[in-house]
Amino acid sequence: MAISDVASFAHLSAADVEALGGEFDAIRRDIEAVRGEKDAAYIRRMIYIQRRLVVAARITLFASMFPPAWVAGTAMLAAGKILENMEIGHNVMHGQFDWMNDPEIHSGTWEWDTTCPAEQWKHSHNFLHHTFTNVIGKDNDVGYGILRVTSDQKWHPVNLGQPVYNALLALLFEWGVALHDLDIEAIRKGNKDPKEMKRQLKSIGRKVRRQVGKDYVIFPLLAGPAFATTLSANFTANIARNLWSYLIIFCGHFPDGAEKFDEEQLEHETKAEWYLRQLLGSANFEGSRLLHVMAGSLGYQIEHHLFPDLPCNRYPEMSVRVKALCEKYNLPYTTGPLHRQYGQVLRTLMKLSLPNKPAAPAPQRPARVGRPSPEELRQHRGPIPPQAAVA
Amino acid sequence: MRTLITPLATLRDRGRAMSVPQKLATAAAGAAAAALGATALEVRRRVADSDASPGSGIDLVRSVVARMTTPLLPDDYLHMINPLWSARELRGKVVEVRPETHDAATLVITPGWGFQASYQPGQYVGIGVSLDGKWHWRSYSISSAPDRAARGRGTITITVKAMPEGFMSEHLVRGLAPGTIVRLALPQGDFVLPDPPPAKLLFWTGGSGITPVMSMLRTLHRRGTMPDVVHIHAAPNRGQAIFRDERVALAGTHPTLRLVENFDDEHGILDVSKLEAACPDWRDRQTWVCGPAPMLEAAERHWESAGLGQALHLERFSAALTASAEGGHVVFAKSGREADLDGATTILEAGEAAGITMPFGCRMGICHTCVIPLKKGMVKDLRNGAEYQENQGVQTCVTAAAGDCVLEI
């Protein structure tokens, strides 16, 4: 569907849309003008906390044959990995802190603690997902090539297994992310350049060797008598991180209210319409400051999509302004408690594993006599109704 | 006394410098070798991914530990204990800020791991200082003499003169508290004193151009090898002559060192016509000149017209920051292409038009795929007018040339 077909936008004129775009630009400028030591201190502090957590976890796990140490070590390691992937890695790789001009905290140099190579993530996520957000056929995050997340995607009997695929993806999320930039859809259609695929696989292989070596060989071996318990702790921490990131990420674009678009939308899309697509295609969730940090600030998915390269610690203040704009222009601002948002995601996934219900009779447009007036045509931003074309 | 070299370039130079066999087998060697020929932005990944066989014992330890810290380096944890324990980004600690004149100060810096203590007198060093969350890089000549005996545990000094409207130099002279951690780039530059020194030398310095020559004088003094030296120094007045007491004392100690001072307030501007009087045998001397641009140009003309260009060594102060302009001549350094741009064409479009395979993504300034290091000059963000100076990565899809610039692609 194109933006102009989305009911909640139908009341906006082209001039309104451009004015709204200007207001979003103003938010960006204001944040750029004030970002400074406070923001730098924030990310440095996150990095500091995360590294201390990991060191504490690794040391604690040397005693992991004692169950309390296993529990504490696993919890700290999982928290450290979640912080690194979500609040630090994801945001730093977006270039949110490039302005610091610090080669150690820069989108060009950051490598994160997961099996997906940073370079591939930046392509599939920063570029494809953030530019073509929710455009079916362009944004591979719409179902990740294996799930049917909107009724606009054609049903296939293979979708019947969706509840199982979903559970597997949640458990193995890290691996799904690692393979994501290979573009399963392109491989399936035979469009993938074999040379590029080989290069990508090699890069993934190198990263996997190091990640697996660290968690499942080196640290367990170093732990000596605690080999097995360290191994199980590291495994559990990785799975916990997988489940958590899956949960958060699925609440970004799949809850009710987050719209999907077709490729037509991209034709002649203005910057202002791009903003609208980001706003309409994303969903926030509510929670405490701690929850937001552990979620990599993705509880502010709307703000993140409007301004993906502004420092994440500014999202809360931006959200106040974005919400006010939504009220001013009478636009939806999709949000809710995390459990409700995820509940909607799960319901959608289950429902869409089955074919669409036979369409209810479409609401009839009011019968029209003759051509629409020029004024109507100007205001109508969707496809011209067939009557107008024939008349 | 150069300003503004790029830390990106410096990192590469660090790689080059380290590839020369040297005793300094510090923990930096592994990182630096991996960094060889890579852009700074690639350095870290190259280091982290490097499966190259380690060269020495310490490298072996480092590479084993890096398997535990992957995707980070051991340094990323160690510098949390002591900020100087990292060779990934060279760091230094300012241990003293010593006023020299009312507008110049000497910073005494203890370098951290990986710093090359065996710099040559006359070289300069890049220094990065964090101001309001952002790292700013400048280069300054080292004014101290290399201390081989200190075996890397010594300090280095740079001497900075606060320039009008130079916010960095102003901050370094008046705003830097002892204890501040700065970033460093390895010493470089070929304005150096050979070892052993030539038999007859002339140093001609103006203002803060004294700093590299001070390092040379201190080196000659420390080694006890002071040859026949004439040092002509020009300063606005006695009070603003940096290191004056020390130079006078050195001239007292070494009969072969003759000091000629010119204070503009008392003696008028020193120009080449006065040179003959101050040092009649200048033609017989290897000469090192460091000072303001007009002085360097005059010296260059004078020596070349005498056919003695070979005997002249110059250290250029680069001009103050390029003033912002609309458009300019853009050089794509690695691919050897060039273009003249207006102020509205993005660097990305220009590069593509010039036939370069430019990295690109969203083409709207959000995804940071197109970031390329800006080596020289200035670009302007077309969205908000923000200006980006050399020594950082710039988003080519939303920036246009603001004057002549050089990009690393």
Side-chain angles (χ1 to χ4, degrees):
Chain A
M1 132 168 30
I3 279 189
S4 44
D5 301 330
V6 174
S8 43
F9 281 92
H11 62 283
L12 292 185
S13 72
D16 289 340
V17 173
E18 290 311 308
L20 178 58
E23 307 227 34
F24 284 134
D25 280 339
I27 296 180
R28 165 179 282 277
R29 274 198 303 278
D30 290 350
I31 297 293
E32 282 172 342
V34 296
R35 72 185 164 192
E37 181 55 35
K38 189 177 137 189
D39 310 83
Y42 176 80
I43 194 67
R44 282 198 304 261
R45 185 171 148 73
M46 279 301 138
I47 290 171
Y48 189 67
I49 292 172
Q50 184 266 333
R51 289 185 189 164
R52 281 164 60 117
L53 262 177
V54 168
V55 170
R58 300 287 187 191
I59 292 172
T60 308
L61 288 175
F62 278 97
S64 55
M65 58 277 237
F66 304 108
W70 189 95
V71 171
T74 306
M76 286 191 288
L77 188 59
K81 279 175 181 279
I82 285 169
L83 258 186
E84 201 282 339
N85 290 178
M86 309 287 285
E87 184 70 344
I88 302 169
H90 168 247
N91 289 320
V92 168
M93 285 191 296
H94 261 298
Q96 295 179 3
F97 299 93
D98 283 7
W99 59 270
M100 288 164 62
N101 201 23
D102 184 342
E104 291 181 348
I105 308 177
H106 194 282
S107 66
T109 56
W110 196 269
E111 190 53 82
W112 55 344
D113 186 15
T114 172
T115 47
C116 174
E119 167 230 339
Q120 293 184 27
W121 170 258
K122 283 183 282 184
H123 177 255
S124 64
H125 181 81
N126 291 12
F127 171 34
L128 293 179
H129 171 58
H130 274 271
T131 309
F132 306 118
T133 314
N134 288 18
V135 175
I136 298 164
K138 293 286 266 184
D139 175 7
N140 291 327
D141 284 27
V142 181
Y144 306 99
I146 52 172
L147 295 176
R148 183 167 179 253
V149 294
T150 159
S151 55
D152 295 343
Q153 289 169 310
K154 244 177 93 179
W155 183 83
H156 185 278
V158 95
N159 295 129
L160 286 170
Q162 188 141 297
V164 180
Y165 315 148
N166 177 52
L168 283 175
L169 181 60
L171 283 168
L172 303 174
F173 198 63
E174 173 188 18
W175 302 92
V177 171
L179 299 177
H180 186 43
D181 195 40
L182 290 174
D183 194 350
I184 291 147
E185 197 67 29
I187 296 171
R188 199 155 50 203
K189 287 185 186 149
N191 294 339
K192 184 84 188 178
D193 172 14
K195 253 166 86 184
E196 170 66 2
M197 178 140 146
K198 209 173 139 193
R199 190 193 65 79
Q200 286 182 309
L201 282 171
K202 254 173 96 169
S203 159
I204 297 169
R206 211 166 33 235
K207 186 91 193 280
V208 167
R209 257 203 321 277
R210 294 185 75 94
Q211 289 294 122
V212 169
K214 169 177 73 166
D215 281 340
Y216 300 127
V217 182
I218 296 182
F219 276 106
L221 280 178
L222 283 173
F227 177 89
T229 46
T230 302
L231 189 83
S232 70
N234 293 351
F235 179 76
T236 310
N238 275 321
I239 295 290
R241 182 268 321 270
N242 288 352
L243 290 172
W244 179 252
S245 22
Y246 153 87
L247 170 74
I248 298 303
I249 288 161
F250 269 52
C251 288
H253 301 289
F254 305 150
D256 299 357
E259 303 285 352
K260 313 295 177 292
F261 307 90
D262 56 31
E263 291 193 36
E264 205 179 298
Q265 163 64 27
L266 295 173
E267 284 168 28
H268 314 296
E269 186 179 66
T270 65
K271 178 75 193 284
E273 289 167 333
W274 178 86
Y275 274 131
L276 275 187
R277 178 157 55 83
Q278 303 304 326
L279 174 67
L280 190 65
S282 310
N284 283 7
F285 58 79
E286 297 154 353
S288 67
R289 186 65 201 139
L290 179 66
L291 176 72
H292 281 301
V293 171
M294 294 309 283
S297 298
L298 291 180
Y300 298 100
Q301 188 78 238
I302 294 173
E303 288 72 20
H304 175 60
H305 262 270
L306 291 169
F307 313 106
D309 61 345
L310 293 184
C312 55
N313 54 307
R314 298 280 180 176
Y315 291 165
E317 65 189 87
M318 286 188 238
S319 76
V320 177
R321 293 179 65 178
V322 172
K323 233 183 286 181
L325 281 179
C326 287
E327 270 164 38
K328 178 173 164 190
Y329 287 84
N330 195 17
L331 292 168
Y333 183 89
T334 308
T335 189
L338 184 57
H339 61 87
R340 198 186 77 199
Q341 299 303 95
Y342 184 68
Q344 293 175 352
V345 172
L346 212 53
R347 189 181 60 198
T348 302
L349 287 174
M350 298 306 128
K351 212 162 70 182
L352 293 178
S353 63
L354 301 173
N356 293 348
K357 285 200 193 111
Q364 289 292 310
R365 286 177 193 278
R368 175 188 291 283
V369 182
R371 294 173 75 92
S373 70
E375 179 62 14
E376 277 176 295
L377 274 178
R378 196 185 60 76
Q379 296 227 338
H380 188 95
R381 304 182 53 255
I384 306 292
Q387 301 96 307
V390 230
Chain B
M1 282 303 296
R2 264 165 225 213
T3 55
L4 284 173
I5 49 149
T6 81
L8 304 185
T10 309
L11 268 164
R12 267 192 317 287
D13 291 340
R14 185 191 308 170
R16 267 203 290 283
M18 287 299 230
S19 71
V20 177
Q22 49 183 263
K23 244 184 139 188
L24 188 85
T26 63
L36 189 65
T39 70
L41 299 188
E42 291 166 0
V43 167
R44 171 148 179 214
R45 185 160 327 123
R46 292 275 290 270
V47 172
D49 284 357
S50 166
D51 290 322
S53 57
S56 68
I58 192 142
D59 284 351
L60 181 69
V61 173
R62 184 192 175 78
S63 109
V64 169
V65 178
R67 294 283 168 167
M68 296 161 63
T69 56
T70 187
L72 298 173
L73 292 174
D75 312 53
D76 294 320
Y77 291 93
L78 289 171
H79 79 68
M80 290 165 50
I81 306 171
N82 179 335
L84 300 185
W85 291 354
S86 171
R88 194 182 135 188
E89 278 296 304
L90 303 185
R91 291 166 160 85
K93 186 186 204 170
V94 176
V95 289
E96 190 189 345
V97 181
R98 193 190 300 149
E100 297 286 354
T101 65
H102 79 275
D103 61 355
T106 291
L107 311 184
V108 184
I109 299 168
T110 305
W113 286 3
F115 191 82
Q116 211 173 344
S118 54
Y119 58 92
Q120 298 179 63
Q123 286 193 307
Y124 60 88
V125 69
I127 175 167
V129 176
S130 177
L131 269 179
D132 195 22
K134 181 173 178 176
W135 289 94
H136 298 265
W137 284 83
R138 297 290 187 274
S139 287
Y140 290 97
S141 293
I142 302 175
S143 51
S144 52
D147 184 0
R148 289 175 184 159
R151 291 179 167 273
R153 290 180 205 286
T155 56
I156 60 162
T157 67
I158 59 170
T159 303
V160 182
K161 185 171 190 267
M163 300 291 178
E165 292 178 41
F167 81 104
M168 251 296 264
S169 60
E170 184 71 32
H171 177 72
L172 290 173
V173 171
R174 306 186 209 282
L176 214 56
T180 304
I181 298 296
V182 295
R183 296 276 172 91
L184 295 173
L186 284 179
Q188 54 181 315
D190 47 15
F191 183 77
V192 294
L193 185 67
D195 185 19
K200 295 181 82 175
L201 288 84
L202 168 61
F203 292 138
W204 181 12
T205 54
S208 54
I210 178 66
T211 51
V213 167
M214 200 60 215
S215 173
M216 297 181 187
L217 287 171
R218 285 168 169 166
T219 305
L220 293 170
H221 168 67
R222 171 175 287 166
R223 293 182 190 160
T225 55
M226 188 71 73
D228 178 350
V229 179
V230 176
H231 180 197
I232 305 171
H233 181 65
N237 54 51
R238 265 164 221 277
Q240 287 192 45
I242 303 171
F243 305 131
R244 178 152 194 271
D245 294 346
E246 189 179 348
R247 282 184 285 115
V248 170
L250 279 177
T253 314
H254 299 279
T256 55
L257 169 61
R258 186 161 65 87
L259 186 61
V260 181
E261 292 180 289
N262 186 90
F263 302 116
D264 302 350
D265 292 357
E266 290 174 38
H267 311 111
I269 304 282
L270 177 89
D271 57 23
V272 279
S273 62
K274 288 190 189 167
L275 183 77
E276 293 278 353
C279 182
D281 62 347
W282 62 273
R283 289 179 182 79
D284 303 334
R285 294 174 180 271
Q286 286 282 319
T287 303
W288 278 262
V289 180
C290 183
M295 180 182 141
L296 295 174
E297 282 155 24
E300 199 166 19
R301 275 196 306 272
H302 194 60
W303 260 257
E304 265 168 19
S305 67
L308 293 169
Q310 295 287 338
L312 184 67
H313 311 270
L314 295 175
E315 179 72 319
R316 294 186 187 281
F317 286 55
S318 77
L321 296 181
T322 344
S324 162
E326 286 277 307
H329 184 71
V330 177
V331 175
F332 299 95
K334 281 191 188 163
S335 42
R337 309 278 171 88
E338 308 184 6
D340 284 306
L341 301 188
D342 58 27
T345 309
T346 64
I347 304 285
L348 176 62
E349 290 164 347
E352 289 174 336
I356 302 165
T357 314
M358 304 280 286
F360 74 91
C362 66
R363 307 186 82 100
M364 58 191 296
I366 57 145
C367 82
H368 292 245
T369 306
C370 63
V371 172
I372 290 176
L374 174 66
K375 275 178 77 177
K376 279 209 180 91
M378 189 188 276
V379 297
K380 191 181 260 179
D381 192 323
L382 293 171
R383 296 171 297 178
N384 53 17
E387 285 166 348
Y388 295 94
Q389 286 161 12
E390 54 200 25
N391 80 24
Q392 51 191 312
V394 294
Q395 290 175 273
T396 58
C397 74
V398 287
T399 51
D404 296 348
C405 45
V406 179
L407 287 131
E408 180 96 321
I409 184 162

